[in-house]
């Protein structure tokens, strides 16, 4: 049965889509978000193209890698060899251990401003915790931590039906003049297998 690898890639794609939210420059509602959160959104939107060391994962575990971002396009190479890439239209996740790739269209909104909207925040120093205003929101809580100049350092999200946090940590964030277009239009190695729309295969 091919359900297991499809499920694995579906989970990875959810993580990929969480990374993709750094794209686009959707604004926050000033009535809902404090000045500090709006400053983080403004700073990340102003970076344009950047590279950073990133750690992603749930609970106490996490996998590190190198994140390249430019104008809503993302390439993430993890230390275990997995690649998560999006050209803004589709997101591809490749696992070298199984030589299987998942390919899923990117839809809906985007941008860290879009993600952080709709929460009631409590700010303490360089951290903020937000609880969803809408009780039916898929993400029930977020935690945001920033460094000098309001550069994002850590973003944690908890789904309404889960007790675990999905965490994205950024280090060594640095602006880059630009990246080759081929970096974001990732093509899995020859001989690998691609599963189209894996998220749509799971009920």
């Amino acid at each position: 049965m091919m359900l297991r690898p499809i499920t694995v890639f579906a989970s990875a794609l959810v993580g990929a889509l969480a990374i993709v939210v750094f794209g686009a420059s959707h604004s926050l509602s000033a009535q809902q978000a404090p000045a500090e959160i709006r400053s983080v959104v403004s700073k990340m939107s102003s970076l344009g193209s950047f590279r950073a060391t990133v750690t992603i994962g749930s609970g106490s575990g996490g996998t590190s890698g190198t994140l390249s971002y430019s104008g809503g396009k993302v390439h993430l190479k993890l230390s275990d060899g997995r690649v998560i890439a999006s050209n803004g239209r589709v997101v591809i996740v490749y696992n070298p251990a199984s030589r299987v790739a998942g390919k899923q269209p990117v839809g809906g909104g985007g941008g860290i401003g879009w993600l952080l909207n709709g929460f009631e925040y409590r700010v303490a120093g360089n951290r903020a915790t937000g609880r969803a205003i809408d009780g039916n929101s898929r993400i029930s809580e977020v935690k945001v931590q920033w460094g000098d100049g309001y550069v994002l350092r850590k973003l944690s999200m908890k789904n309404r039906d889960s007790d675990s946090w999905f965490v994205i940590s950024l280090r060594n964030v640095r602006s880059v003049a630009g990246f080759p277009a081929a970096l974001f239009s990732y093509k899995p190695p020859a001989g690998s297998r691609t599963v189209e729309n894996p998220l749509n295969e799971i009920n």
Side-chain angles (χ1 to χ4, degrees):
M1 296 290 292
M2 302 312 299
L3 183 60
R4 179 173 177 77
I6 291 174
T7 304
V8 170
F9 277 103
S11 298
L13 281 166
V14 170
L17 291 173
I19 296 291
V20 171
V21 301
F22 289 114
S25 56
H26 288 54
S27 60
L28 279 165
S29 167
Q31 294 178 333
Q32 294 181 358
E36 292 87 348
I37 295 296
R38 284 183 276 126
S39 294
V40 171
V41 171
S42 177
K43 178 62 177 182
M44 298 309 292
S45 297
S46 73
L47 288 177
S49 298
F50 68 87
R51 178 167 281 145
T53 301
V54 63
T55 302
I56 62 174
S58 299
S60 59
T63 304
S64 296
T66 299
L67 171 68
S68 302
Y69 168 83
S70 180
K73 300 175 183 179
V74 176
H75 181 276
L76 173 61
K77 177 69 177 289
L78 296 173
S79 59
D80 59 10
R82 283 180 295 168
V83 175
I84 300 171
S86 174
N87 60 9
R89 299 182 300 276
V90 297
V91 59
I92 295 176
V93 179
Y94 175 67
N95 186 347
S98 61
R99 297 183 62 79
V100 177
K103 183 178 180 180
Q104 187 80 22
V106 176
I112 188 172
W114 170 80
L115 175 70
L116 295 180
N117 216 353
F119 295 89
E120 186 174 14
Y121 287 96
R122 184 179 70 255
V123 178
N126 67 334
R127 303 166 187 251
T129 300
R131 293 184 179 274
I133 296 172
D134 181 356
N136 294 319
S137 174
R138 183 178 64 84
I139 300 176
S140 61
E141 291 184 69
V142 294
K143 294 179 181 179
V144 186
Q145 182 179 341
W146 56 90
D148 294 340
Y150 291 100
V151 173
L152 181 68
R153 290 296 180 233
K154 183 181 291 187
L155 173 63
S156 306
M157 297 164 282
K158 186 167 71 171
N159 283 346
R160 184 177 68 245
D161 56 355
S162 174
D163 291 328
S164 63
W165 291 84
F166 183 84
V167 181
I168 303 171
S169 298
L170 298 177
R171 305 187 307 279
N172 303 320
V173 179
R174 56 229 184 254
S175 295
V176 176
F179 298 101
L183 181 68
F184 306 112
S185 296
Y186 178 77
K187 291 180 172 57
S192 61
R193 187 174 64 86
T194 298
V195 178
E196 298 278 351
N197 304 322
L199 288 176
N200 298 341
E201 297 290 334
I202 302 171
N203 296 320

